[in-house]
């Protein structure tokens, strides 16, 4: 770890593109919990690649516009003397190249985070996003006390683990059947939050759309099976 403020700032700057990559992937895809080694490796690897790409861009700019770019050779030879005389130019180019590396990392994260690998999908992610993305299906849940609740899926925990410590949010129209009863009744509330720990069986009904049967058949052919939390 860095022992000076300058070293700490330099470390943060060097790893900023990789941190950008990891954060955007977490926001746009299924939440994963990799080991510290893998997460650190992803940050460092992405930072190195994007900053190398930024340096290649600088080299091209230096070859095409030598008068508008810092002279790296003089910077190496003269050190702080050259940096003091050209601090504004050095600062603008450093910030610009860092922003370019971060933008490149963000673009890579956005392109690769749309659909996680099957090994990183939870049953909820498969039902609510993987099969028919962008839709809010009708969801019915049988709870452990025998009651039943039904509504439109509004939000769900995107963790890649099928953990009972997460929640599902359903919105109106909501229907509820108390324990021991046989009739389902509409309720006047706008939303309901259900703990996965209380769900015994989950049913999902997708809105009808052209080609839905064909797509569902293709999913079944690939060996995917509906999952219940």
């Amino acid at each position: 770890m860095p022992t000076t403020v300058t070293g700490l700032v330099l470390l943060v700057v060097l790893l900023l593109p990789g941190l950008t990559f990891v954060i955007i992937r977490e926001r746009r895809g299924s939440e994963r919990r990799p080991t510290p080694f893998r997460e650190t490796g992803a940050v460092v690897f992405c930072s190195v690649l994007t900053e190398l790409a930024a340096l290649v861009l600088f080299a091209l700019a230096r070859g095409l516009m030598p008068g508008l770019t810092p002279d790296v050779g003089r910077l190496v030879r003269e050190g702080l003397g050259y940096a003091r005389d050209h601090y504004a130019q050095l600062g603008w180019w450093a910030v610009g190249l860092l922003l370019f590396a971060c933008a490149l990392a963000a673009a890579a994260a956005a392109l690769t985070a749309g659909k996680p690998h099957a090994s990183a999908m939870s049953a909820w992610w498969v039902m609510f996003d993987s099969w028919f993305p962008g839709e809010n299906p009708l969801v019915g849940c049988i709870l452990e006390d025998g009651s039943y609740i039904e509504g439109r899926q509004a939000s769900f925990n995107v963790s890649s683990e099928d953990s009972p410590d997460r929640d599902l949010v359903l919105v109106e129209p909501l229907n509820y059947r108390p324990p021991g009863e046989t009739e389902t009744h509409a309720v006047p509330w706008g939303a309901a939050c259900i703990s996965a720990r209380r769900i015994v069986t989950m049913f999902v009904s997708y809105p009808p759309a052209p080609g839905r049967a064909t797509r569902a058949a293709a999913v079944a052919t690939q060996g995917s099976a509906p999952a219940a939390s």
Side-chain angles (χ1 to χ4, degrees), residues 1-8 11:
M1 291 294 293
T3 57
T4 64
V5 175
T6 302
L8 179 61
L11 178 64

Side-chain angles (χ1 to χ4, degrees), residues 1-87:
M1 291 294 293
T3 57
T4 64
V5 175
T6 302
L8 179 61
V9 171
L10 183 61
L11 178 64
V12 171
V13 167
L14 292 176
L15 296 182
L16 190 58
L19 290 173
T20 302
F21 176 82
V22 170
I23 290 172
I24 292 180
R25 276 187 63 91
E26 289 177 350
R27 297 287 295 178
R28 294 178 61 91
S30 177
E31 180 187 358
R32 304 172 182 83
R33 295 182 181 178
T35 62
F37 176 78
R38 290 188 62 181
E39 190 166 16
T40 302
V43 171
V44 173
F45 182 72
C46 181
S47 293
V48 170
L49 286 185
T50 54
E51 286 165 356
L52 283 176
L55 291 177
V56 169
L57 177 66
F58 173 77
L60 292 175
R62 178 66 183 166
L64 297 174
M65 303 176 295
L68 299 178
T69 53
D71 190 334
V72 179
R74 287 188 59 189
L75 178 62
V76 173
R77 291 191 301 271
E78 301 176 17
L80 291 178
Y82 179 83
R84 282 194 296 266
D85 294 338
H86 301 84
Y87 66 90

Side-chain angles (χ1 to χ4, degrees), residues 136 189 227:
N136 297 101
W189 304 299

